[in-house]
Amino acid sequence: MTGSVGLVKTETAEFDVELQLESGRLLSPITLAYETYGSLSQARDNVVWVAHAWTGDAHAAGKHTLEDRRPGWWDDMIGPGKVLDTDRYFVVCSNVIGSCFGSTGPTSSNPRTSKPFNLAFPVIMVRDMVHAQQLLLDHLGIEQVLTVIGGSMGAMQALEWAVHYPERTRSVIPIAGSGCQSPMATSLNAVARQAIYNDPLWRKGNYKPEHPPADGLALARSIGHISFLSDTSMHLKFGRRFSVRDGIFDFFGQFEVERYLEYNGRNFVDRFDTNSFLYLAKALDLYDVAWGFDSLAEALSSVTCSSLWFAFTSDWLYPPYQTETVVEELQKQGKPVEYHLIESDYGHDSFLVEPEKFTPKVVAFLDKLSA
Amino acid sequence: MTGSVGLVKTETAEFDVELQLESGRLLSPITLAYETYGSLSQARDNVVWVAHAWTGDAHAAGKHTLEDRRPGWWDDMIGPGKVLDTDRYFVVCSNVIGSCFGSTGPTSSNPRTSKPFNLAFPVIMVRDMVHAQQLLLDHLGIEQVLTVIGGSMGAMQALEWAVHYPERTRSVIPIAGSGCQSPMATSLNAVARQAIYNDPLWRKGNYKPEHPPADGLALARSIGHISFLSDTSMHLKFGRRFSVRDGIFDFFGQFEVERYLEYNGRNFVDRFDTNSFLYLAKALDLYDVAWGFDSLAEALSSVTCSSLWFAFTSDWLYPPYQTETVVEELQKQGKPVEYHLIESDYGHDSFLVEPEKFTPKVVAFLDKLSA
C-alpha cells in the first residue's frame, strides 16, 4: 500500500551570499523555499532531489492543510511505498530562483531599492538555479545526492547537476528534457512573451500585483499549454466538439479545445506571477548544456554519474531526438547511461499523465543504486 | 524556357444574388475579385482553377505594375512553359469571400447600413467560398474546369469542388490539406484569435482601418507562422543564433527566430485586415468535408473526378495522416486517386518552398488529363 506524506510545510532558507550568475551579475541575498519528505539517513546518503518544471514549486507532495483540495504537484510519485519512497528516501524539492513561490525572483525585494525587483531582476540561466540549489544542499548538511530527478525544466536542472557537480551527484533521472532549447520551443516562448508585452497592464513589468496583465498572461499560458499537449491527445480529449453553450455559427462560439485553453489560461493568472513567467521562459530559451563549453562533448566530459533518461514519442516540445543527442554523446564517452523511449500519446505532458509507463524503471534504477 | 504572364490586372465581378450560406444566412450582393492568365480554349475545356490559402489573394501571377517588387504569390507555378502553363491552360484565381482583397468580406459595405460589415458579416465556411466561386465560373461562361489546384485552405476548396460540383470538376489537386481541421490546428487559431481580442484597438471589430489592432494581429500572425514552419526548418534557418544587436542577457534580447517572427508579424498588419483574418480562421476551424453528411464516406460518395494529392512529411499543421484519411476513403470507394507523400523539412510551407519536389507529378497528371 502506498500513502501520503501527510501535512507538510514549505520552509525557507536565507543565504547572505552573493551568487555569481552566468551573466556576470551578482544576486544577493538568496532565499530558497523548499520542502522535504522522509528522513535523512545516518549516512546522509538517501537524498532524492526533485527538480520542478517551469511553473512548478517546492510543494511536490502532501498537503499544507487538511482543507487543501489538491496535494503537491508530484504526490503520485512521492510518499511511503511510492516511486520515490519516503520510507527509504529523503526527498527534497526547492523552488527555483526566478520563480514566485518563495525563492528569490522578480517579485522579491530588491535590496537596493526596497521595492520588488520586477525587470531589475537579472536574466538567469538554468545553471544559475542549480548553483543556488547547492547552497540549500550545504544548509541541509548533505554532501551528495542519490539522484536528481525532474521533468522538462527539471530534466535540464538534473543535467546541469551531473555536469557541474559530479562529486555531489550519484545519478540523474532527466525526463522529457533537452540538452538545448530548440528554435521551435523558443518561438513558442517568443509569442507567449509578446502576448504579455502587448497587455497594457504589464507596464514593462511594473504592474501592481493586484492588477497583473491577466489577459496577456492567460494567453501566454494557453500558448504554452498547446505545446504540452499533442495532436493525438487533443483528438482524444476534445475531438472537434463544439461548446454546447455556443452556436456553431456564432462569431464568438468556441470549440471545446478553445474553451479549455482559455479556462486554464485564466486560472493560471491567479497562481503565477507574470514577470517570473517571463524570466523562466528566458532561462528555458537560453538553456544549452554546452553553454560556456566548446562543444556538447566537452560539456559532458565531466559527468561521472550514471543516468536514466526518458523521452516520449508524442512530445513535440522536447522531441526524443533532443534527449537522444545527449544520451548518444554520453554513451560515446562510455558513461553509464540507460535510455527509454516511452510510447505515449500525451505529448510533453506524458510524464505527468502516464507516469506508470516509466516509473517501474525508476524504481529499479534507484533500487540498484541504493542496494 | 519559362516566362512571366507579364502585367496583369485584378478584375471584379458583381453578382446581385443572395448567396445562401451554410449557416442559413444570406449574403448579398456578392463581389468577387479575380485574375486570369492565358486564354480560354474554343472548347472551354482548359481551365485551371487556382484556390488560394488563408492570407492569399487573386493575384497569383505576373505583376500589376512594372515597379512591383514581387510578382503574384504563385508566379513560380503559373506562366508560359511553367507547371500551370499559360500557353495551354486558362488559369483563374479568385479571392475568397471573407477575405479583404476585393471580394465580399467584413470590410465590404453592409447594404443595410452602408457601413462596413465588421462583425455583422456572417460566419462562413470553406463550402460557402466554393459556392460563391460558381457564380464566377458562370460569369466566365465555363461549364467545367480541368482541375482545381490549391494548397492548405486551397486544398480544402478543391475537395469541396469535387464533392459538391462533380459535374463541373474534372479533377482536383489538393496540396498540404486536410479533410477536417484538427483540434491542434484549431487551438493555434484560438490563441491567434485571443491575441486580437486582447488588443484594445480591436474594439470588437469596430476599429478604424487606419488604426487596426496592429499588436494583436501581428502576434496572431506570428503564432500562425510557427505552425507553417517545422522544428527542422527552424534549425536550418535560425538555429540558436542570437540577434547580433542584442546581448544574450538583455531582458528584451531576441533570438533570430524571435526577431523573424516579430518582423513578419508586423509586416502582415500592412497587408491584411484583422476581421478578415478572424473570419477565415473561423472558416478553417469549421472545415470538415463531412459537414452536413452522415460520414466522410457519404461526403465522398458524390466525387466522380480523379484527384492528385500531396502531403509533406514535416507538415505538423496538416499532417500527412489527415490527407491519407481522405485518400484511403476515396480508394476504398474505387475512385481514381493518386497520392504522394513528399519528403520535405519545410513543414506546412513545403509546398511553397520546395515546389520542385511535387510539380513534375502535377505536370504529368495534367498532361494525361488534357491529352
Side-chain angles (χ1 to χ4, degrees), chain B residues 36-187:
Chain B
T36 69
Y37 322 106
S39 308
L40 187 59
S41 63
Q42 284 291 106
R44 299 175 173 268
D45 62 355
N46 67 333
V47 179
V48 169
W49 194 278
V50 169
H52 69 72
W54 189 353
T55 60
D57 56 27
H59 182 39
K63 292 187 170 186
H64 286 157
T65 71
L66 289 173
E67 290 71 37
D68 285 2
R69 289 181 55 199
R70 290 182 164 200
W73 60 270
W74 230 10
D75 194 75
D76 286 349
M77 289 281 284
I78 303 166
K82 291 184 182 173
V83 177
L84 307 178
D85 185 350
T86 49
D87 290 338
R88 298 174 62 185
Y89 305 118
F90 182 58
V91 178
V92 185
C93 181
S94 80
N95 187 222
V96 299
I97 57 167
S99 182
C100 51
F101 294 110
S103 293
T104 303
T107 58
S108 302
S109 176
N110 182 347
R112 288 204 197 139
T113 63
S114 302
K115 288 183 191 159
F117 278 104
N118 297 342
L119 296 203
F121 195 75
V123 166
I124 57 166
M125 296 185 84
V126 172
R127 194 167 297 172
D128 296 314
M129 301 172 191
V130 171
H131 288 327
Q133 287 163 5
Q134 307 309 312
L135 299 169
L136 180 58
L137 201 68
D138 293 341
H139 173 76
L140 295 172
I142 299 164
E143 285 272 309
Q144 189 187 54
V145 300
L146 188 64
T147 203
V148 182
I149 184 171
S152 199
M153 192 177 82
M156 296 172 182
Q157 293 167 65
L159 182 52
E160 293 294 308
W161 275 74
V163 168
H164 296 280
Y165 298 97
E167 72 291 349
R168 305 196 93 165
T169 313
R170 277 196 64 199
S171 76
V172 292
I173 309 179
I175 305 167
S178 171
C180 181
Q181 181 89 336
S182 69
M184 173 62 84
T186 296
S187 72

Side-chain angles (χ1 to χ4, degrees), chain A residues 10 14 28 41 58 88 90 92-93 103 113 141 143 196 210 258-259 267 286 292 298 314 318 361:
Chain A
T10 304
E14 316 267 350
S28 176
S41 63
R88 297 175 62 184
F90 182 59
V92 184
C93 181
S103 293
T113 63
E143 285 273 310
I196 293 167
E210 62 275 26
E258 187 165 4
R259 184 174 296 282
N267 278 351
L286 292 178
E298 197 202 37
S314 57
Y318 298 123
K361 295 182 176 73

Side-chain angles (χ1 to χ4, degrees), chain A residues 181 193 231 253 258 282 321, chain B residues 193 231 253 258 282 321:
Chain A
Q181 181 89 336
R193 263 191 281 286
D231 185 51
E258 187 165 4
K282 192 83 178 173
Y321 81 85
Chain B
R193 262 192 280 286
D231 186 51
E258 187 164 5
K282 192 84 178 174
Y321 80 85

